[in-house]
Amino acid sequence: MPQLPSPGLLGRRSGTVRAIAIGLVLTSLAVDRVQADPPQPAKKDSSVRARPKDALLTTSIEPAEAKPGDTVQFRVHVKLNPGWHIYTQAKRQEEGGLVMLSDSRTNAGVDDINTFRKMATFQQADDRVLVLMSAGNLAITQAVVHLLHETPEGTDQPTRLFQASDMFNAARVVGDALREIHQRDGESLRDQGHEFNANFILGGQIKGEEPRLFQVYSAGNFIESSLDTPYFQIGESKYGKPIIDRVISRSSSLAQAAKCALVSMDSTIRSNLSVGPPLDLAMIRRDEYKLATHISINSDNEYFNMIRTRWGFALQEVFSELPNPNW
């Protein structure tokens, strides 16, 4: 099927497609009854031969007249002949990467609460950087991380994750380690009435490909994030998930993603006593092959306390401004 490129518009098979942009009028000219020559565009219009024959483009500005500083709406109307379609044109972000955030509270009951890190990192200069986060049975997740840090016995070969050729195979390495622990401990856990419960999020970049993100399940199988699902959550995810769903997309910056992750984590902390600081925050920038940021956020962290307070006040303010139901 023929294609008609037009950046920024998402169309249908046929019919009229509209895109709206809002801008500011910065200057205007005062005119008298005697009109001067009309202003000319800075660049000449496309030649007739270069103009598309299967699309009619018209524009309009509302209001037609405006003063300096006024806001106007600039509309572009595209009418396509049957059989033609408009595709969006996406530009690769200059800043890309991953943000990873985990808490460190574990509990085996209300009187048995402890602090254990749930984030492990793997770095090899100029080649790869990987971050692994875990949730579930602490003994299982620690055993898996230990296996991944082990070097093959009696050899000088690198650890398992450093041998992976790409991120997909790195996720498979994590899944294989999980199955190995299940084969060793699964039956004993069942005999004691415990479920084999462990989940992982693996994110990072290996040279030769883009940053990638995977979720690894207890069975050792895994899925990869997509354009429609740019994030994963494991553990107590139900409290903070709606915030991420409303805010985060593939076009979000790393700073925005980190801020959103902290707000989401704060919502979980407020609603679930089994989640708490210190928090581990790691950021990976595209093509750096090292951790751009790896910090521990305690309950007295100035920035974290600021966004917790302001987010709470903002929610109350917005809620109070919403109209009450009339039924």
Side-chain angles (χ1 to χ4, degrees):
M1 181 181 295
Q3 299 178 2
L4 177 66
S6 181
L9 299 177
L10 180 61
R12 308 184 183 92
R13 288 288 174 185
S14 62
T16 302
V17 183
R18 294 174 179 169
I20 301 176
I22 298 176
L24 294 177
V25 176
L26 301 179
T27 59
S28 65
L29 296 175
V31 295
D32 298 320
R33 295 182 179 178
V34 179
Q35 294 285 343
D37 293 336
Q40 299 298 318
K43 294 183 179 180
K44 292 184 178 180
D45 199 359
S46 302
S47 67
V48 176
R49 291 184 179 181
R51 294 175 190 172
K53 298 180 178 59
D54 293 283
L56 176 63
L57 281 76
T58 58
T59 61
S60 63
I61 296 179
E62 296 179 2
E65 296 182 1
K67 300 186 298 295
D70 286 352
T71 300
V72 301
Q73 288 186 331
F74 178 75
R75 289 183 168 88
V76 179
H77 306 263
V78 183
K79 187 173 183 180
L80 299 176
N81 288 339
W84 288 84
H85 186 75
I86 293 181
Y87 293 85
T88 57
Q89 184 180 49
K91 181 180 179 181
R92 172 182 167 176
Q93 279 186 275
E94 295 301 323
E95 182 190 39
L98 297 166
V99 172
M100 316 282 279
L101 180 69
S102 64
D103 81 314
S104 58
R105 183 173 293 177
T106 64
N107 78 93
V110 294
D111 58 348
D112 189 7
I113 298 176
N114 295 289
T115 298
F116 288 93
R117 300 292 184 183
K118 303 174 186 177
M119 179 183 291
T121 62
F122 304 81
Q123 300 183 75
Q124 196 170 55
D126 300 323
D127 181 68
R128 67 190 61 201
V129 55
L130 300 94
V131 176
L132 183 69
M133 299 190 299
S134 61
N137 185 294
L138 184 62
I140 297 173
T141 58
Q142 285 188 344
V144 170
V145 172
H146 180 77
L147 275 182
L148 296 175
H149 279 293
E150 276 187 346
T151 56
E153 189 174 353
T155 69
D156 294 329
Q157 294 182 358
T159 60
R160 304 184 186 195
L161 283 178
F162 290 149
Q163 295 184 56
S165 58
D166 52 40
M167 285 298 299
F168 183 90
N169 281 297
R172 188 163 61 182
V173 168
V174 175
D176 289 345
L178 193 53
R179 292 191 181 106
E180 188 173 335
I181 298 301
H182 181 271
Q183 185 177 5
R184 188 191 72 184
D185 297 337
E187 186 175 350
S188 298
L189 286 169
R190 282 194 302 272
D191 291 342
Q192 296 295 321
H194 298 295
E195 180 184 359
F196 189 89
N197 177 30
N199 293 277
F200 293 88
I201 292 177
L202 176 68
Q205 183 179 16
I206 295 177
K207 199 165 189 177
E209 61 179 5
E210 290 289 301
R212 299 170 72 180
L213 186 69
F214 295 85
Q215 180 173 345
V216 185
Y217 298 103
S218 295
N221 56 330
F222 54 87
I223 59 174
E224 184 175 4
S225 65
S226 66
L227 290 173
D228 296 321
T229 306
Y231 75 93
F232 289 128
Q233 278 185 295
I234 54 177
E236 296 292 346
S237 61
K238 54 184 174 290
Y239 305 100
K241 186 176 186 299
I243 297 171
I244 301 178
D245 286 335
R246 289 177 179 270
V247 174
I248 290 300
S249 68
R250 283 275 182 171
S251 61
S252 301
S253 68
L254 292 180
Q256 290 171 332
K259 177 172 59 176
C260 182
L262 289 170
V263 171
S264 173
M265 182 68 77
D266 172 59
S267 298
T268 305
I269 290 173
R270 289 185 64 88
S271 301
N272 193 316
L273 293 176
S274 67
V275 180
L279 310 178
D280 282 325
L281 175 67
M283 295 175 64
I284 299 172
R285 291 194 177 92
R286 178 195 285 123
D287 297 338
E288 288 190 357
Y289 307 109
K290 64 179 181 180
L291 291 175
T293 300
H294 189 197
I295 60 174
S296 178
I297 301 173
N298 295 307
S299 56
D300 59 351
N301 182 273
E302 183 177 354
Y303 178 77
F304 187 48
N305 284 328
M306 180 272 294
I307 62 172
R308 296 184 75 180
T309 302
R310 291 184 59 176
W311 178 255
F313 284 144
L315 284 178
Q316 293 176 19
E317 184 177 351
V318 171
F319 179 80
S320 65
E321 292 176 354
L322 291 174
N324 294 325
N326 57 4
W327 33 262

